[in-house]
Amino acid sequence: MDKPGIVVAGASGRMGQMLIRLITEGDQARLAGAVDRPGSPWIGRDVGEAMGGAALGVTVTDDPIEAIAGAQALIDFTTPAATVALAELTAQARAVHVIGTTGLGEDDLKKIAAAARHAPIIRAGNMSLGVNLLIGLTRKVAAALGEDWDVEVVEAHHRHKVDAPSGTALMLGEAAAEGRGKPLAELRTHAREGITGERVPGSIGFAAIRGGDVVGEHDVIFAGQGERVVLRHLATDRAIFARGAIRAALWGQDKGPGEYDMADVLGLD
């Protein structure tokens, strides 16, 4: 019981199952709970057996209060509405909340910020080391190149992803905007269609591809006159995100209330 207890939200999902496997196979934390959506066929079952393996002694529940009460951290790759509700509960329990959920709106982020006044929240659109290094490089390249270099963020994901652009693509766009000293909201251009007119100087464009089982691919293209600089990250194994989330949950154990990201966890700042 000396190991931090981690609850996994969205236990039946692909990321939820990956997290459960890595936590139970590792020696740094223990699986303290498994939460799934109301009505899930996994509710009331041992999570190990629900995953097709041996029993793990943890019953899947749709009551996050019960699960979080005995835990030190919760890892959450769910939906915006579920994440906001879970943030309020982890704040009350003073547990670390690791958020990998994407598609969060401004109102969602305000509620998460309010919860972070009471407990540590680590939120990132991508938990991998490589992507977070790419974000730092994007910021530096954008600062070094002038606004006559056009910026495009192109991302590809599997056919089941429901939001676009991806959370990682938005993080890369924000890094490029920061490098230019402006907020992304002033520079962002959505996917183009029809007669769009000439490109607005200094704008940052986004394009999203959805298909097959692509884990995640992100390109940041800096296009100048006669040359291009392309920064790229390819994810081939979903486990990189799960490992990063577990690392964040462990890192947050001795941290005070506040909002953190993977750059903090990895010491990249």
Side-chain angles (χ1 to χ4, degrees), residues 92-167:
Q92 292 172 15
R94 303 299 189 266
V96 177
H97 188 180
V98 177
I99 300 175
T101 302
T102 58
L104 294 161
E106 288 300 318
D107 189 54
D108 299 325
L109 295 176
K110 289 178 182 177
K111 292 176 180 177
I112 289 170
R117 292 199 290 266
H118 306 283
I121 291 180
I122 303 163
R123 184 179 65 85
N126 194 300
M127 300 283 178
S128 85
L129 171 60
V131 160
N132 283 277
L133 288 172
L134 178 62
I135 289 169
L137 290 172
T138 297
R139 187 179 296 109
K140 290 181 179 180
V141 173
L145 300 177
E147 289 194 357
D148 54 334
W149 286 71
D150 299 322
V151 182
E152 291 286 318
V153 181
V154 182
E155 54 99 344
H157 283 85
H158 52 86
R159 62 184 302 170
H160 302 292
K161 188 168 179 61
V162 299
D163 58 308
S166 69

Side-chain angles (χ1 to χ4, degrees), residues 7-262:
V7 173
V8 174
S12 66
R14 286 169 295 176
M15 184 58 67
Q17 294 185 53
M18 178 69 71
L19 285 162
I20 290 166
R21 289 193 185 97
L22 291 178
I23 292 169
T24 55
E25 291 171 1
D27 59 1
Q28 293 183 296
R30 60 184 175 84
L31 183 64
V35 178
D36 214 14
R37 68 188 184 282
S40 166
W42 283 34
I43 302 300
R45 299 179 62 190
D46 182 278
V47 70
E49 294 177 343
M51 290 171 56
L56 295 175
V58 174
T59 301
V60 182
T61 179
D62 58 3
D63 181 3
I65 297 176
E66 173 189 349
I68 295 170
Q72 285 70 53
L74 177 137
I75 300 179
D76 170 15
F77 287 81
T78 57
T79 65
T83 291
V84 169
L86 289 168
E88 295 175 359
L89 297 178
T90 53
Q92 292 172 15
R94 303 299 189 266
V96 177
H97 188 180
V98 177
I99 300 175
T101 302
T102 58
L104 294 161
E106 288 300 318
D107 189 54
D108 299 325
L109 295 176
K110 289 178 182 177
K111 292 176 180 177
I112 289 170
R117 292 199 290 266
H118 306 283
I121 291 180
I122 303 163
R123 184 179 65 85
N126 194 300
M127 300 283 178
S128 85
L129 171 60
V131 160
N132 283 277
L133 288 172
L134 178 62
I135 289 169
L137 290 172
T138 297
R139 187 179 296 109
K140 290 181 179 180
V141 173
L145 300 177
E147 289 194 357
D148 54 334
W149 286 71
D150 299 322
V151 182
E152 291 286 318
V153 181
V154 182
E155 54 99 344
H157 283 85
H158 52 86
R159 62 184 302 170
H160 302 292
K161 188 168 179 61
V162 299
D163 58 308
S166 69
T168 302
L170 292 173
M171 290 167 66
L172 291 166
E174 288 170 356
E178 288 171 7
R180 292 184 166 176
K182 296 182 179 179
L184 179 59
E186 291 184 9
L187 306 178
R188 177 175 173 177
T189 297
H190 297 280
R192 304 174 183 87
E193 182 179 1
I195 307 301
T196 61
E198 292 188 5
R199 182 189 182 98
V200 176
S203 62
I204 298 174
F206 290 86
I209 299 167
R210 295 291 177 267
D213 61 355
V214 178
V215 174
E217 300 179 1
H218 293 86
D219 290 331
V220 185
I221 303 168
F222 294 87
Q225 295 298 312
E227 58 183 332
R228 291 195 303 271
V229 174
V230 181
L231 305 180
R232 164 172 279 197
H233 179 269
L234 304 179
T236 58
D237 185 352
R238 194 175 301 279
I240 63 173
F241 311 125
R243 284 194 291 266
I246 294 170
R247 180 170 176 172
L250 296 172
W251 176 86
Q253 291 304 302
D254 61 352
K255 303 302 182 293
E259 292 187 88
Y260 305 91
D261 58 23
M262 284 303 291

